[in-house]
Amino acid sequence: MGADKDLAVHCRGVLKTYGTGEAMVTALQGVDLEVRQGELMMLVGPSGCGKTTLISVMAGILDQSDGDCRVFGQDLMHLRNHAKLAFRARNIGFVFQAYNLLPTLTAAENVTVPLLINGMGRKEALKKAEQVLEQVGLGARTRSLPSQLSGGQQQRVAIARAIIHEPRLIVCDEPTSALDHETGHKVMELLKGIALRRDRTLVIVTHDARIFEFADRIAEMDDGRVIRIVTNSSQLH
Amino acid sequence: MYRIALKMLMGDRGKYLGIIMGLTFASLIMTQQPAIFVGLIMRSYSFITDLGLPDIWVMDPEVQWVDDIKPLQDTELYRVRGVAGVAWAMPLYKGLLKARLPNGMFQTCIVVGLDDATLVGGPPRMVEGRLADLRRADAVIIDIDGAREKLSQPPAVPGGKRIELKIGDTLELNDHRAVIAGFSKNTRTILSQPVLYTTYSRAKQFAPRERKMLSFILAKAKPGEALADLTRRIRTTTGLAAYSREEFMGVTFRYFLKNTGIPINFGVSVMLGFIVGAAIAGQTFYSFTRENLRQFGVLKAMGTSNWTLLRMILLQATLVGMIGYGLGVGLTSLFGWAMRNTILAFKFPWYLLLFSGIGVTLICAFAALISIRRVITLEPAVVFKS
Ligand SMILES: Nc1ncnc2c1ncn2[C@@H]1O[C@H](COP(=O)(O)OP(=O)(O)O)[C@@H](O)[C@H]1O
Ligand SMILES: [Mg+2]
């Protein structure tokens, strides 16, 4: 498994079905994919092709039905529940299309959540949150509630939340879909500029062609499979 | 994380207040209704508790409770006095008689006739005058609440103050003069009739010609005499019923419970309070959780354990429970305080705190349980659902 050491994610024959019998849906029909450490990989493809399902498996919040998926060499599916929670808390960051901030917490408090889950004290966590909010350009809005922020600002808070605990993998589902072009561009610049590092990998699901340029590699999916991987968006279609 | 749980709940003002209102309502009903119930129950035997001196009550075996008077022959008194272990035994007359007020109106009173020599069985407390004043000619003592309420007369001029009886005023009972010699303070009885004390022999004159007059024999055990033994001895030697004070209270209390339907009425009120409170609070709490499922899902995805989420929800339920309970109990106390000088029966013993506390706890546990179930079965993958 020497090669695995440089891989953030390694999927082989990953199969996922929802439901049983007549109502059974096959969302992933044998995905093979390698995501390298420190790269920004995009997952693209038509709606319903299994992109969200695939990053859910990678993030350890969904178990595949068959096949093998290792994240930093860990087979998450076969980890005990407690260890899996700890793995997610330590190693995974999330960015969502709908931001998913806790509406009654301030920006800074929202950002502290991953640290609190990892057992850090509140005071220390808040201090760190303020620093990270500074980094994403929201140093002046630490006490604002999500409802007092624009969509782009909320997504920046979400990015701060995704990086504050220094995870090794950040999964993003359509992070720019709810934003206008310019704001989406800024969010991508932040993700690429601050979130991505040599020891931190980003997997971003998107169908927004305008941000393809930020990708190191793009995996194109269709019908539950990765059909091809390109390094330049001009190679698509 | 607990702070986050509290902020989640308190940040949602509408639901937060809704849950607290539901719990306050439930806790209020579950405290205030039983308090009135306990007040009424205590009034049912207040005639017995107000009579502190004797420790044994002797009466006709058919008597079912304290207001169920079945008179005895006067000679029974001597038989009871003759039972070994009895220190003393005194007669007591208790009956309902119509008193004619100075303005010619009539009011039914509880007339209590006390042993002429000892005046055993007098009121718990005198407000004005002395019990010994009963020895004066035609003297009676009436309870102050009765004097102020049912025995007071309409004002002389419309809109004026009601005319209260005062010492020296006269009433008429069956054409016999009765002069007010003092006022006592009694615990209210269930129907709040005025109580009028006089001597046993004078009560005999007031009462219409009856063959038998002796309502109760009040007895005291000799020091060191076991009450249970003595009451048994009185029963077997006289064929009468003999109860210790507590036993007679119990007999009265049980009769009252069985024959008035009052416990059912209060039970229904309390049940309704519980159910309505549980419905409002439980429903709102659950809908709060449901609306926050996505937030719980996000916390779960980020690595929060079910165990932590469970404790967060329990904390939320505990918070609203304590606030609702506190407000409900506070409102009940306020209610009791506001009603302290009225006819309303209200007693707030400590065990009612426990009772409503358990009720509120059950509601909160139920609300928390359904919410916890929902959150624990939640799949963290929902976070990516749009
Ligand atoms: N929880 C679920 N239950 C049943 N079917 C699901 C569920 N989630 C996704 N699917 C189905 O699986 C397929 C892939 O879904 P998804 O991974 O969300 O695709 P994408 O993100 O590429 O649009 C779709 O056909 C979708 O309807
Ligand atoms: Mg999707």
Side-chain angles (χ1 to χ4, degrees):
Chain A
M1 288 259 176
D4 249 18
K5 273 186 120 180
D6 304 325
L7 291 182
V9 183
H10 190 180
C11 294
R12 272 169 304 180
V14 170
L15 194 92
K16 176 67 192 178
T17 56
Y18 291 109
T20 50
E22 292 269 296
M24 191 162 88
V25 179
T26 305
L28 300 176
Q29 0 211 358
V31 169
D32 296 309
L33 182 67
E34 294 178 1
V35 184
R36 300 174 196 136
Q37 291 203 26
E39 81 170 329
L40 193 162
M41 164 155 289
M42 283 191 187
L43 289 180
V44 305
S47 182
C49 71
K51 305 181 294 290
T52 299
T53 303
L54 182 57
I55 57 163
S56 301
V57 170
M58 289 179 185
I61 57 175
L62 189 68
D63 286 336
Q64 67 269 36
S65 312
D66 199 7
D68 195 47
C69 182
R70 282 167 198 272
V71 183
F72 305 111
Q74 278 283 359
D75 176 8
L76 294 184
M77 184 161 103
H78 293 107
L79 275 187
R80 309 214 13 198
N81 197 30
H82 193 77
K84 192 147 95 184
L85 283 173
F87 185 89
R88 287 210 300 267
R90 272 270 13 97
N91 298 299
I92 312 288
F94 293 88
V95 177
F96 310 96
Q97 176 176 352
Y99 326 128
N100 284 349
L101 300 174
L102 277 71
T104 55
L105 303 189
T106 64
E109 287 168 337
N110 263 292
V111 175
T112 60
V113 168
L115 295 179
L116 300 180
I117 291 174
N118 279 299
M120 186 184 279
R122 182 184 133 80
K123 279 226 177 80
E124 199 185 338
L126 270 174
K127 222 161 106 189
K128 183 126 192 257
E130 279 165 19
Q131 286 167 13
V132 179
L133 279 170
E134 190 79 48
Q135 279 188 314
V136 298
L138 287 174
R141 305 304 303 266
T142 56
R143 284 162 194 274
S144 304
L145 291 174
S147 56
Q148 298 164 332
L149 299 173
S150 70
Q153 289 172 324
Q154 290 188 56
Q155 197 60 303
R156 271 142 72 192
V157 175
I159 291 171
R161 178 176 68 177
I163 62 175
I164 191 166
H165 54 306
E166 314 259 329
R168 297 165 71 193
L169 173 68
I170 298 179
V171 292
C172 314
D173 198 15
E174 314 264 9
T176 61
S177 300
L179 305 172
D180 61 55
H181 176 58
E182 197 181 328
T183 316
H185 217 80
K186 280 201 191 122
V187 162
M188 280 313 297
E189 277 168 359
L190 261 183
L191 278 172
K192 183 133 192 179
I194 297 176
L196 191 67
R197 294 197 321 213
R198 275 200 13 220
D199 56 353
R200 192 180 298 144
T201 309
L202 261 66
V203 178
I204 300 179
V205 166
T206 188
H207 60 255
D208 183 357
R210 297 169 305 192
I211 63 167
F212 286 171
E213 57 179 292
F214 290 95
D216 294 321
R217 291 194 302 156
I218 301 176
E220 191 183 4
M221 291 183 69
D222 195 11
D223 207 11
R225 280 193 187 85
V226 173
I227 51 172
R228 97 183 125 152
I229 294 178
V230 299
T231 49
N232 192 316
S233 57
S234 60
Q235 294 169 262
L236 292 170
H237 311 296
Chain B
M1 295 309 281
Y2 300 121
R3 218 186 165 96
I4 289 180
L6 295 183
K7 282 203 128 184
M8 273 171 90
L9 179 63
M10 299 200 289
D12 189 345
R13 286 283 142 183
K15 295 237 163 45
Y16 181 53
L17 295 181
I19 298 165
I20 286 179
M21 266 167 53
L23 289 171
T24 303
F25 174 80
S27 143
L28 173 65
I29 300 293
M30 286 190 294
T31 320
Q32 182 248 23
Q33 290 289 311
I36 295 176
F37 176 67
V38 170
L40 281 177
I41 288 297
M42 290 172 93
R43 281 185 187 179
S44 75
Y45 50 65
S46 64
F47 187 79
I48 308 171
T49 44
D50 266 7
L51 242 151
L53 210 48
D55 39 33
I56 293 174
W57 290 65
V58 184
M59 66 206 76
D60 187 283
E62 301 285 303
V63 168
Q64 299 186 70
W65 68 304
V66 67
D67 283 353
D68 179 30
I69 308 289
K70 303 215 161 65
L72 308 166
Q73 302 273 8
D74 276 358
T75 50
E76 301 286 6
L77 178 61
Y78 304 106
R79 297 182 62 205
V80 172
R81 282 179 179 164
V83 175
V86 171
W88 48 255
M90 300 298 163
L92 187 83
Y93 170 82
K94 178 173 186 282
L96 289 176
L97 297 179
K98 278 207 193 89
R100 189 165 179 267
L101 301 176
N103 68 353
M105 306 233 283
F106 285 95
Q107 167 66 47
T108 304
C109 300
I110 299 172
V111 174
V112 183
L114 313 175
D115 176 60
D116 290 48
T118 61
L119 298 179
V120 161
R125 195 158 67 82
M126 292 298 293
V127 181
E128 226 184 313
R130 294 171 312 127
L131 184 60
D133 294 341
L134 276 187
R135 298 209 171 87
R136 294 194 201 149
D138 300 331
V140 295
I141 289 171
I142 59 179
D143 84 284
I144 190 80
D145 296 316
R148 289 194 180 137
E149 293 161 14
K150 297 211 167 92
L151 288 175
S152 66
Q153 300 159 77
V157 285
K161 268 187 72 170
R162 287 183 73 86
I163 304 163
E164 293 175 8
L165 290 173
K166 50 188 192 308
I167 289 188
D169 283 354
T170 57
L171 304 170
E172 261 179 40
L173 291 112
N174 284 317
D175 300 329
H176 289 275
R177 218 167 79 98
V179 182
I180 296 169
F183 294 106
S184 64
K185 179 70 190 167
N186 293 32
T187 310
R188 282 178 193 272
T189 58
I190 198 82
L191 291 176
S192 285
Q193 286 141 322
V195 183
L196 189 149
Y197 291 94
T198 184
T199 60
Y200 188 72
S201 55
R202 209 170 298 132
K204 272 181 154 176
Q205 297 169 4
F206 292 155
R209 292 252 152 261
E210 285 173 26
R211 203 165 49 83
K212 299 190 279 186
M213 284 289 296
L214 182 57
S215 313
F216 296 103
I217 299 166
L218 307 176
K220 181 85 178 170
K222 281 190 172 143
E225 192 74 38
L227 282 185
D229 293 342
L230 185 53
T231 50
R232 191 172 332 112
R233 210 174 307 136
I234 294 173
R235 277 199 294 274
T236 48
T237 49
T238 63
L240 301 173
Y243 302 112
S244 71
R245 226 154 67 94
E246 280 69 28
E247 281 169 351
F248 193 33
M249 277 159 62
V251 166
T252 297
F253 164 73
R254 279 189 293 277
Y255 177 86
F256 190 76
L257 286 192
K258 232 170 76 186
N259 292 282
T260 58
I262 285 179
I264 299 173
N265 288 319
F266 280 93
V268 167
S269 294
V270 168
M271 261 334 269
L272 276 180
F274 180 82
I275 291 169
V276 172
I280 297 175
Q283 168 88 22
T284 316
F285 194 87
Y286 182 61
S287 94
F288 160 77
T289 306
R290 243 191 12 220
E291 268 177 31
N292 280 284
L293 270 186
R294 179 170 283 265
Q295 331 302 340
F296 284 118
V298 169
L299 294 177
K300 241 179 166 173
M302 290 177 172
T304 309
S305 66
N306 276 336
W307 174 233
T308 302
L309 292 172
L310 176 146
R311 283 181 302 179
M312 287 171 72
I313 293 173
L314 277 183
L315 177 69
Q316 291 168 338
T318 307
L319 174 81
V320 288
M322 289 200 323
I323 295 176
Y325 174 65
L327 285 176
V329 166
L331 285 176
T332 302
S333 310
L334 207 66
F335 172 85
W337 182 80
M339 298 289 159
R340 69 197 179 285
N341 289 325
T342 67
I343 194 164
L344 191 96
F346 184 92
K347 273 273 176 287
F348 197 171
W350 64 269
Y351 52 80
L352 288 190
L353 283 178
L354 201 68
F355 177 79
S356 53
I358 291 174
V360 171
T361 306
L362 282 178
I363 295 177
C364 290
F366 158 77
L369 204 74
I370 51 174
S371 297
I372 286 168
R373 227 181 73 105
R374 187 71 195 264
V375 169
I376 281 186
T377 55
L378 179 71
E379 285 294 332
V382 299
V383 291
F384 284 129
K385 292 261 149 41
S386 41

